[in-house]
Amino acid sequence: MAKLPLGNSVLRFCLAAVTIVLTSTTLSEAFSSRPTRCSSTSLFSESSNSGGYVEEYDDFANFSSTQLTSSSPTTSSTDTADVTSTVNNEEDNFLSSLQSRLQQVEDNSTRLPLMILDTMLPRQILQIQIQHPTLKALMKHRVNEETPTLGMLGMARLSTGQTVPLKTGVEVEIIQMEKATDSSPDNTSSSTAGGEEEGWDISLRAGRRFSIDGEVDKTEDGWTEARVKFLDSSEEEETEISSAMKGPSSTESIGDRLSVARAIQKCKEFTAPNMNMNGSLSLVDRWIELAKENERHPGQIDVLLKQLGEIPPEHEPTERALWVGALINPLPSMGVATEIRPALLVSKKAEERVQVALEGLLKSIRHMDGSQRLN
């Protein structure tokens, strides 16, 4: 193959360089009316198709191809200002729409319709029958919106004897909703004042804990809603430790910092062999043994254990305490333990929750083995 002389290569290189310069000049003139910048809209502008990688910029959505390629020097400053204004308006509309959508998503994720019926703990399943039109409309609305969850709040009795709704509850998921096969009033959560309303059998499974974060509002549809703050056990415990390290005095800081460590240590008592129990069983195993002798129908405890799953590990004291609370206060109630679920929900520290669960478990065992009956 014949080689091109060196002079021809240099000539071709020069011609290519001139072409690049001319092209750059043309493009520079075409976009000289608009300074270069990185727009937030470009974060959502990249797409691809079968023809390869394509970039589409919302900034130029209203431009024609001739406007983008035109390098006419006769463009007036008024036209340039109009184009810039149009682009800026498009950007403002886009950002405004995006911010509105993000706010809507945030509101939907932190707002829950509320149902005040029974105190529940994570992992518990509540089966009820509803007849009230408002409750039925709420359930149907949440399922149709593909957000089959709502907030469940229980009641607490004050020292004065007054009962008030808790401000801490659980998010419950609608896992079953069908026409009732048994309209027994014992299974009905509410009914209409006049006339018979078709009942629905509902199953609700408790998940995340939350606290009400703001005012409770009544919707036009008749139910109540509130903005909530979801609670995470590990984050709460980490915050408890970190805030203790910033305490006003070193003595107080060390004491508070060890609170979570003490909670973890106490958690071992739930599952460790206990010499005071029959056969040196752990407290949890002894409770299960006694509860099977007191269950209301055969297999009740086995179903309960299947619903709750494995007991959380020792290094998760809050979750372990909540699990124990759900164990000794099952749904429906067995009547063999004091009600500790409200206390577990309102407690602020892991050590407090573990202590509440531990005392409740011991009292229930003593009640069932006959050594100390509950009043």
Side-chain angles (χ1 to χ4, degrees):
M1 180 180 295
K3 295 184 179 180
L4 293 174
L6 179 60
N8 290 343
S9 299
V10 173
L11 178 59
R12 291 188 177 186
F13 175 81
C14 292
L15 289 174
V18 171
T19 302
I20 292 173
V21 170
L22 291 175
T23 304
S24 300
T25 302
T26 303
L27 291 174
S28 176
E29 291 175 356
F31 294 95
S32 61
S33 62
R34 186 168 183 226
T36 303
R37 69 181 185 279
C38 180
S39 169
S40 60
T41 58
S42 63
L43 296 175
F44 306 91
S45 62
E46 297 179 357
S47 63
S48 60
N49 57 20
S50 58
Y53 181 78
V54 178
E55 289 186 344
E56 299 173 352
Y57 292 90
D58 290 319
D59 291 359
F60 306 126
N62 294 329
F63 281 33
S64 66
S65 58
T66 54
Q67 287 175 304
L68 286 173
T69 56
S70 174
S71 59
S72 173
T74 60
T75 302
S76 67
S77 60
T78 301
D79 293 339
T80 302
D82 291 342
V83 169
T84 303
S85 176
T86 301
V87 171
N88 290 336
N89 288 338
E90 290 292 331
E91 287 184 353
D92 292 342
N93 292 338
F94 173 78
L95 292 176
S96 177
S97 176
L98 178 61
Q99 291 172 353
S100 176
R101 178 57 180 161
L102 290 175
Q103 184 63 43
Q104 181 182 358
V105 171
E106 182 181 357
D107 288 343
N108 289 340
S109 64
T110 59
R111 288 190 67 86
L112 279 178
L114 302 177
M115 185 176 185
I116 302 176
L117 182 60
D118 195 1
T119 304
M120 296 181 68
L121 295 178
R123 306 174 184 86
Q124 289 192 305
I125 294 178
L126 175 65
Q127 296 177 335
I128 59 174
Q129 185 180 112
I130 62 173
Q131 289 183 329
H132 199 286
T134 302
L135 282 179
K136 292 168 69 175
L138 169 60
M139 299 292 178
K140 186 175 181 180
H141 169 75
R142 297 300 286 179
V143 171
N144 289 341
E145 290 292 318
E146 298 184 354
T147 53
T149 59
L150 57 144
M152 176 66 73
L153 296 174
M155 303 291 289
R157 184 178 298 276
L158 304 179
S159 58
T160 59
Q162 180 184 6
T163 56
V164 295
L166 296 173
K167 291 187 176 181
T168 306
V170 291
E171 180 185 42
V172 294
E173 179 187 4
I174 305 169
I175 59 175
Q176 181 183 8
M177 185 173 71
E178 59 187 14
K179 292 182 180 180
T181 56
D182 177 18
S183 299
S184 172
D186 294 337
N187 298 329
T188 305
S189 63
S190 58
S191 59
T192 54
E196 291 294 329
E197 184 76 21
E198 183 183 42
W200 287 0
D201 287 333
I202 306 291
S203 294
L204 305 171
R205 180 169 53 205
R208 297 180 293 179
R209 292 177 297 128
F210 69 82
S211 61
I212 294 179
D213 188 22
E215 296 295 327
V216 177
D217 303 317
K218 188 171 183 178
T219 66
E220 296 179 355
D221 298 300
W223 57 78
T224 56
E225 287 186 353
R227 184 181 297 276
V228 302
K229 177 183 179 182
F230 290 109
L231 306 174
D232 182 87
S233 299
S234 59
E235 291 180 0
E236 287 178 311
E237 290 160 7
E238 290 175 2
T239 301
E240 187 178 340
I241 296 173
S242 61
S243 61
M245 297 176 66
K246 301 176 183 178
S249 66
S250 58
T251 303
E252 181 180 348
S253 298
I254 293 175
D256 289 341
R257 195 186 315 166
L258 295 177
S259 176
V260 175
R262 289 195 300 270
I264 294 175
Q265 186 64 28
K266 285 183 179 180
C267 270
K268 297 179 180 179
E269 297 184 36
F270 291 124
T271 52
N274 192 308
M275 299 299 294
N276 297 321
M277 297 292 111
N278 186 28
S280 297
L281 293 174
S282 68
L283 295 179
V284 168
D285 288 339
R286 179 56 175 160
W287 188 93
I288 293 173
E289 182 181 67
L290 291 170
K292 287 185 176 182
E293 299 173 2
N294 291 269
E295 57 188 4
R296 293 188 171 183
H297 53 82
Q300 181 182 7
I301 300 303
D302 289 333
V303 172
L304 173 62
L305 293 172
K306 184 177 180 181
Q307 291 176 354
L308 298 182
E310 294 292 329
I311 184 171
E314 300 169 357
H315 63 269
E316 297 179 4
T318 293
E319 288 301 315
R320 179 169 273 217
L322 294 172
W323 187 94
V324 171
L327 176 72
I328 68 175
N329 291 152
L331 296 170
S333 173
M334 291 181 59
V336 297
T338 56
E339 178 60 85
I340 66 171
R341 291 175 297 174
L344 288 172
L345 288 178
V346 301
S347 296
K348 300 299 183 183
K349 294 184 178 181
E351 187 177 14
E352 294 175 359
R353 300 184 187 103
V354 172
Q355 189 62 37
V356 167
L358 189 59
E359 291 179 358
L361 182 61
L362 285 169
K363 288 181 180 179
S364 182
I365 290 174
R366 292 168 186 155
H367 170 76
M368 288 190 291
D369 68 14
S371 61
Q372 187 177 352
R373 291 287 185 178
L374 296 172
N375 295 329

